[in-house]
Amino acid sequence: MKNQTAPNLSPSFSAKVWQNLIGGKWTGSTGDERIPLLDPATEDSLGSIPKGTTEDADRAVASAREAFEAGAWRRMGVRERSRVLRRVGEILLRRCEEIATAETLDQGRSLRQSRGMMLPLAAGAWEFFAGCLLNFHGRAASPEPWASAYTINQPLGVVACITPGNVPLVLGSEKLAPALAVGNSVVLKPPPECPISSVLLVECLLEAGIPEGVVNLVHGDGEPVGRRLAEHPDVDMVAFTGSTETGKAIMRLGAGNVKRLLLELGGKAPQVVFPDADVDAAVKGALWGVYLNSGQICMASTRLLLHESIYDEFVEKFVRRTRDLRVGPGIEPDTNVGPMVTIRARDKVEACIARAVEEGATVLCGGDRPRGDRYARGFWVEPTVLAADSPGITATRQEIFGPVPVVQRFAHMAEAIRMANDTEYGLAGSVWTNDLNTAMTMAEEVRAGYVWINDHLIRATGFPFGGWKQSGFGREAAAQTLDEYCNVKTVYIDRTGLAEKPRYGLL
C-alpha cells in the first residue's frame, strides 16, 4: 500500500451520530442516552453512539434469527457466498485510507500500524475464509458393505461477536468472516470506546451484498448489551475476545442454553532469550513485541526472561532503544507509540506500575506520563521498563495491557521453562536461540497456543491461533475455524432394503 498522507477525517466525525444496524436499517436505540467518542490523543469529539439497551440487543437477535430462518444467506450457493466474502476484503482495501485513519483516530495507534498491518490483516481474513469455504465439506464412507454414511456441516444459527478495543477491525473480521462463511447470521457488539472502524466494516458488508438482517450491529456497554447477548436463549454461539474475567462471566451466562463459545482471553507472553541468541535481534523483536499498539495486544511480550549472561547487555540496549521511541498522536507520521485507548486503560496501567514498585520492582525507564503541553490532553503513558529480581511481584503474572514489560533473569533452561509457565495464561510466547535443540525443547515445553522462534507477534497465514489455560479455547484464523461455527450431522443410509435387519433379532 502507498504510504500516502491520510485524509483528515476528525472534523467530519466531531458531530457524527453513529447508529445501530438492525434488520438492514441504521437506527437509534430504544433508550435516549448516548456514549461520547473521544480521540484518545486529544480528547476531541469523534461523535457519539447509542447507549444500547436490552431491548436493542433483543431486536438485533430477533432480526438475525428471522434472517437465518428465511434462509436467503445460508441457502445461497457456496461459490456465491465465497464471492461476497471476497468482495468485502476488496472493499476494505479500496477504503483503506479512510478506515485506517478512522481506527487510528478512534483507537490511538499509529497510522503506519493501522494502514500497514491492521487493514491488510482484516482484508486478508475475508479473502482467506472465502477460499477456505470452497474446500469445506463433510466426509463420506461405507462403514459396512450394506450401508453408507456421510456428514453435513450446518450453520449454528445466530452468532454474537463481541470485540475489544485494541484491534476491533481485525478481530471483528476474524469472527464475522468464518461465522458468515458457513451460513450463520450475526450480531456484532463492537467496543464502545472505539467502534467506528466496526461500523465502516459493516458498511463494507452491506455494499458487498450481505442480505438484510444477516448482519446486525448493536452499540453499548457490556452491561446490559454484552450480558444480554451472552444469556439470550436465541443466541447459539458467542465469539468473544477480551479479559479472562469477562470470559468467565460469558461462560456462566451462556450455560442457560448450553451455548457454543469461542473465547480468546488474556495473556502474559514470555520472550525467553538464551545466551547464544543474537541479542540485537532479540532487542528489536522485544521493542516490536512490547510496544506495538502501545502494548495493548494480548500476545505482547510483556515478560522478558533473559539468561543471566546476557542480561546486562540486553537491558542496556533495550532501555536505550525504549527511551528513543517517539510518543505522540497516531495520526502523526513519525509516532512510534500512541496513547492508551481510554482514560480507564491509562489509570489501570499506572496502578499496575505503582503496585509493582511497592512490591519491589525497579523502574528502569518511563513509569510516568510524558511531559509537555502536547500531552496535557489525552490518555498517555510513557514506554516503561520494570525490573523484577525479587519473587512475588504481581506484574510478572498480571496482564497489564500497556507499554510496560518486566525483565527477569534465569540461570538455566529448566528455570526458564518454570518461569515461562508460571502464569494462569497460555496464549503465546517466544524463544530466542540459535540452538535447534533448545528451540525445539522450549517450543514443546512452553504451555501456550502459539510459540515463535526468533520472532514475536507475527501470524503464520492459515495456522490456528488460540489459548491454553485461562487464555481461552477455540481456534481462530485457520481453516479449522469454520468447524467452530458449525454443527456436524451424520447421515446413515441402509442400502439393504430389508424390513427385518439381522440385529433386530437381538431385541
Side-chain angles (χ1 to χ4, degrees), residues 113 268-271 282-306 314 318 322 325 336-338 340 365 382-386 400-407 430 432 452 455-457:
Q113 294 169 17
K268 191 69 176 175
Q271 176 173 335
V283 167
K284 292 176 183 177
L287 290 166
W288 169 259
V290 170
Y291 299 119
L292 175 69
N293 205 37
S294 302
Q296 298 168 114
I297 295 281
C298 53
M299 300 179 292
S301 51
T302 53
R303 291 187 293 151
L304 303 178
L305 308 184
L306 313 173
F314 183 102
F318 182 71
T322 296
L325 295 172
N336 302 121
V337 179
M340 303 302 295
C365 70
E382 286 182 312
T384 297
V385 181
L386 299 176
I400 298 175
F401 219 63
V404 186
V406 182
V407 296
S430 65
W432 297 72
W452 297 277
D455 209 338
H456 201 101
L457 271 185

Side-chain angles (χ1 to χ4, degrees), residues 248-466:
K248 291 176 180 179
I250 288 173
M251 292 176 73
R252 290 190 292 268
L253 292 166
N257 66 333
V258 196
K259 280 183 177 57
R260 179 82 59 90
L261 299 176
L262 193 160
L263 303 178
E264 194 264 279
L265 308 176
K268 191 69 176 175
Q271 176 173 335
V272 186
V273 185
F274 282 89
D276 65 312
D278 182 329
V279 173
D280 289 330
V283 167
K284 292 176 183 177
L287 290 166
W288 169 259
V290 170
Y291 299 119
L292 175 69
N293 205 37
S294 302
Q296 298 168 114
I297 295 281
C298 53
M299 300 179 292
S301 51
T302 53
R303 291 187 293 151
L304 303 178
L305 308 184
L306 313 173
H307 189 271
E308 58 188 12
S309 66
I310 52 94
Y311 180 92
D312 290 339
E313 179 188 359
F314 183 102
V315 168
E316 187 277 325
K317 291 179 177 180
F318 182 71
V319 168
R320 175 162 43 85
R321 292 288 299 272
T322 296
R323 288 189 175 123
D324 290 340
L325 295 172
R326 186 180 183 281
V327 179
I331 206 70
E332 296 181 1
D334 54 351
T335 288
N336 302 121
V337 179
M340 303 302 295
V341 67
T342 64
I343 190 170
R344 185 175 66 253
R346 181 199 66 192
D347 291 349
K348 177 193 171 186
V349 172
E350 289 180 336
C352 290
I353 295 172
R355 180 174 180 180
V357 172
E358 289 174 3
E359 293 175 343
T362 303
V363 178
L364 300 181
C365 70
D368 204 345
R369 300 177 191 177
R371 303 186 187 281
D373 292 342
R374 73 197 310 260
Y375 305 112
R377 291 164 60 85
F379 315 130
W380 302 99
V381 175
E382 286 182 312
T384 297
V385 181
L386 299 176
D389 289 325
S390 55
I393 295 176
T394 305
T396 62
R397 295 182 179 88
Q398 174 189 37
E399 183 178 44
I400 298 175
F401 219 63
V404 186
V406 182
V407 296
Q408 298 174 272
R409 66 183 84 214
F410 66 90
H412 47 77
M413 183 187 293
E415 186 177 23
I417 293 168
R418 179 190 62 75
M419 293 171 70
N421 293 329
D422 187 20
T423 173
E424 67 188 30
Y425 302 112
L427 192 58
S430 65
V431 179
W432 297 72
T433 178
N434 286 314
D435 182 84
L436 180 61
N437 183 62
T438 298
M440 298 299 289
T441 300
M442 290 296 295
E444 291 185 7
E445 294 297 328
V446 172
R447 296 173 191 154
Y450 218 108
V451 177
W452 297 277
I453 306 298
N454 295 328
D455 209 338
H456 201 101
L457 271 185
I458 181 71
R459 293 271 198 92
T461 302
F463 281 75
F465 168 72

Side-chain angles (χ1 to χ4, degrees), residues 465-503:
F465 168 72
W468 291 20
K469 300 192 286 187
Q470 293 193 44
S471 288
F473 49 82
R475 291 296 179 264
E476 297 190 283
Q480 72 194 68
T481 304
L482 296 179
D483 294 316
E484 304 276 357
Y485 293 89
C486 279
N487 279 319
V488 179
K489 179 184 293 182
T490 297
V491 179
Y492 180 97
I493 305 170
D494 173 76
R495 301 201 311 268
T496 66
L498 299 175
E500 290 290 334
K501 310 296 192 295
R503 69 181 184 282

Side-chain angles (χ1 to χ4, degrees), residues 181-212:
V182 296
N184 293 293
S185 294
V186 299
V187 178
L188 172 63
K189 193 197 89 64
E193 60 269 26
C194 52
I196 296 175
S197 62
S198 300
V199 175
L200 301 182
L201 170 62
V202 169
E203 288 181 1
C204 296
L205 284 161
L206 297 178
E207 182 181 344
I210 295 286
E212 288 188 0

Side-chain angles (χ1 to χ4, degrees), residues 3-24:
N3 187 18
Q4 52 190 294
T5 301
N8 182 10
L9 301 182
S10 187
S12 65
F13 284 171
S14 62
K16 184 77 173 180
V17 179
W18 305 95
Q19 301 285 33
N20 297 326
L21 180 77
I22 299 176

